[in-house]
Amino acid sequence: MKTIAIIGLGLIGGSMGLDLVQRGYRVIGITRRTITCQQALERRVAHIAGTDLSMVETADLVIICTPISHILNTLEAVTPFLMPHAVVTDVGSVKSAIVSAATELWPGFVGGHPMAGKATAGLEVAETGLFVDCPYVLTPTATTDPQALATVRTLAQDLHSQLYECAPQEHDRAVAWISHLPVMVSSSLIRACEQEADDRVLALARSLASSGFRDTSRVGGGVPELGMLMARYNQTALLQSLALYQQQLLELTELIEAADWSALENWLLQTQQARPAYL
Amino acid sequence: MKTIAIIGLGLIGGSMGLDLVQRGYRVIGITRRTITCQQALERRVAHIAGTDLSMVETADLVIICTPISHILNTLEAVTPFLMPHAVVTDVGSVKSAIVSAATELWPGFVGGHPMAGKATAGLEVAETGLFVDCPYVLTPTATTDPQALATVRTLAQDLHSQLYECAPQEHDRAVAWISHLPVMVSSSLIRACEQEADDRVLALARSLASSGFRDTSRVGGGVPELGMLMARYNQTALLQSLALYQQQLLELTELIEAADWSALENWLLQTQQARPAYL
């Protein structure tokens, strides 16, 4: 593998470009806006950059770094230009909705999800080493070409990520728990507080909120489009997680209603003991 | 006011002692364990320290810094020793359950809640300036003695806190929203993840969890006894908050079930816009 095309030069695509140029690959950057091409060249994110999808024609590996809603139509648009041996991967945060359709469009497709991010998006905040020690999940299926899988494994290793491999559905259930459910839990907290009918109490709550509220509400105050896309593309797994969450919340509420304080303390002890496994 | 007795020398009582000694008050430290008395004297948290509640007899102001479950019986135990003009306050994180009963025990009682804290407890982590710029909520009622209120206002000012005053019920509803509800929301998140029946998915979720999960689950992994006490002493307000929270979560789930993505994005936009008022 010598030439890598990156489609979409935001935080993820841009940061990949920075690392891959440094590792000696020939990197082609493709983006929708001409001004981003100039920035990409200035920041050495790619050796050449342009807006024309046919630029993938010399690429051994194509990494689609567009928003999740554009992955499949981007893949469809580039397939006429791909070399027969070309491998294509994506960086979308859900996989079931992408992988089977993408594999039908291009047999050399391997689903991927490098789990790095920052609070802000865009090429401006792209940085070297963004993926170091971060999980990079690959989601091969029974029909995935082993050579294509090996190529994307090498990419994850080149970025010094921690490689995980699982089925698309397993990935989606796992990220529903630890990424998508927290957004819904957290945004509902903000929304619930805003339901306070007494203006004095609402003003006081806002004034008294500190680190506990700040942390619990953080992901609920994130970019609305991203939260919506999580739900849209991971609807099934998220609804399953939401149902189990509501059940737990109901059990907890019943303990408080019943004033069963020892059971409540025991419940909280279990969550305290369970949490470190996620850190 | 010249002499202040602090009962309970943990993080809050100890940190108050450090500041009040430096401000020139005569500080008496009272604690249950002799070893804590020695530590308090070594750290200059108090001028004299002991385990005998009768030591309050020279105090113009008594600050009860025990766990919330011991505030009322501590007050009851010290009243025989108090000077007639002595003012008593507490630092409990709920107020309705304390203030009316405490005022019956001692007319010079003023409920207070200095909202500073750390992840760990105890005199060992007490520090100077802990309360600087933190909210200090006083909860006077119609029967509160104005002179006693003035004394505790001075205390909050001496600690360079931000002074708030409201009814005990208003305080409890506000902290239910921003402190107690987040604990329940957050612990239910951890508990829900642990319900995942597929061991591979559970292991993957634990491995992939990062800052979003860490922040949203933080207060749910806190000290179980503290979470239990919040619910026990603020049961009514917390149950009201939980009911409104469950309603919001249900609405959100319905939007996802209905695949109403524009309404979901709008919902998330509203929470994004609402959050800064709490920071």
Side-chain angles (χ1 to χ4, degrees), chain B:
Chain B
M1 176 172 57
K2 295 287 178 198
T3 299
I4 299 178
I6 301 175
I7 306 177
L9 298 175
L11 169 65
I12 300 295
S15 299
M16 283 195 169
L18 286 170
D19 282 0
L20 296 172
V21 165
Q22 286 186 9
R23 288 196 72 85
Y25 293 101
R26 181 167 170 268
V27 177
I28 301 165
I30 305 175
T31 171
R32 282 186 303 179
R33 300 193 308 161
T34 310
I35 190 167
T36 312
C37 296
Q38 293 168 346
Q39 291 168 347
L41 294 174
E42 283 162 15
R43 292 207 53 194
R44 308 199 60 179
V45 157
H47 296 97
I48 59 168
T51 59
D52 187 349
L53 289 175
S54 71
M55 291 171 74
V56 300
E57 65 189 2
T58 58
D60 305 291
L61 172 65
V62 177
I63 310 171
I64 300 178
C65 299
T66 65
I68 195 159
S69 48
H70 294 296
I71 294 171
L72 288 174
N73 53 22
T74 300
L75 176 59
E76 196 165 15
V78 297
T79 48
F81 309 110
L82 292 172
M83 291 196 288
H85 77 273
V87 173
V88 181
T89 188
D90 74 324
V91 300
S93 60
V94 297
K95 301 269 61 95
S96 304
I98 301 294
V99 171
S100 58
T103 309
E104 278 182 33
L105 288 168
W106 189 255
F109 180 86
V110 181
H113 181 201
M115 298 184 69
K118 295 169 82 166
T120 46
L123 182 59
E124 299 73 23
V125 291
E127 62 182 48
T128 322
L130 181 69
F131 306 98
V132 173
D133 292 333
C134 288
Y136 198 130
V137 188
L138 302 184
T139 57
T141 66
T143 61
T144 299
D145 172 33
Q147 282 294 101
L149 178 58
T151 297
V152 187
R153 277 186 190 141
T154 302
L155 169 68
Q157 286 154 4
D158 282 335
L159 299 170
H160 298 289
S161 303
Q162 290 178 12
L163 183 63
Y164 293 88
E165 293 184 14
C166 64
Q169 293 73 14
E170 291 175 329
H171 167 276
D172 289 356
R173 285 173 62 179
V175 296
W177 284 124
I178 53 89
S179 174
H180 305 168
L181 178 61
V183 170
M184 306 307 153
V185 160
S186 179
S187 64
S188 297
L189 173 64
I190 301 170
R191 183 95 171 191
C193 294
E194 294 285 299
Q195 306 305 306
E196 170 59 55
D198 184 330
D199 285 347
R200 277 176 57 90
V201 173
L202 181 59
L204 193 63
R206 287 171 171 168
S207 298
L208 301 183
S210 68
S211 61
F213 186 84
R214 186 175 64 234
D215 284 1
T216 317
S217 67
R218 183 174 68 80
V219 297
V223 180
E225 191 192 359
L226 292 184
M228 180 276 285
L229 291 173
M230 290 171 180
R232 181 169 184 169
Y233 288 95
N234 203 15
Q235 187 186 21
T236 306
L238 179 56
L239 284 173
Q240 286 170 352
S241 293
L242 274 165
L244 280 163
Y245 178 74
Q246 280 160 330
Q247 196 181 309
Q248 297 311 307
L249 195 68
L250 202 65
E251 277 185 26
L252 183 68
T253 304
E254 284 168 358
L255 292 181
I256 298 172
E257 278 170 348
D260 192 343
W261 308 126
S262 66
L264 176 63
E265 190 169 348
N266 188 48
W267 159 295
L268 293 169
L269 180 65
Q270 286 176 32
T271 63
Q272 185 189 42
Q273 290 172 340
R275 183 168 178 262
Y278 296 82
L279 306 182

Side-chain angles (χ1 to χ4, degrees), chain A residues 115 135 137 162-167 169-178 274-279, chain B residues 190 192-210 213:
Chain A
M115 297 183 70
V137 189
Q162 291 179 10
L163 184 63
Y164 292 87
E165 293 184 16
C166 64
Q169 292 75 13
E170 290 175 330
H171 167 276
D172 288 355
R173 285 173 62 180
V175 296
W177 284 124
I178 54 88
R275 184 169 177 261
Y278 296 81
L279 303 183
Chain B
I190 301 170
C193 294
E194 294 285 299
Q195 306 305 306
E196 170 59 55
D198 184 330
D199 285 347
R200 277 176 57 90
V201 173
L202 181 59
L204 193 63
R206 287 171 171 168
S207 298
L208 301 183
S210 68
F213 186 84

Side-chain angles (χ1 to χ4, degrees), chain A residues 136-180:
Chain A
Y136 199 129
V137 189
L138 302 184
T139 57
T141 66
T143 62
T144 299
D145 173 33
Q147 283 294 101
L149 178 58
T151 297
V152 188
R153 277 185 190 141
T154 302
L155 169 68
Q157 285 154 6
D158 282 335
L159 299 171
H160 299 290
S161 302
Q162 291 179 10
L163 184 63
Y164 292 87
E165 293 184 16
C166 64
Q169 292 75 13
E170 290 175 330
H171 167 276
D172 288 355
R173 285 173 62 180
V175 296
W177 284 124
I178 54 88
S179 174
H180 305 169

Side-chain angles (χ1 to χ4, degrees), chain A residues 8 80 109:
Chain A
F109 180 86

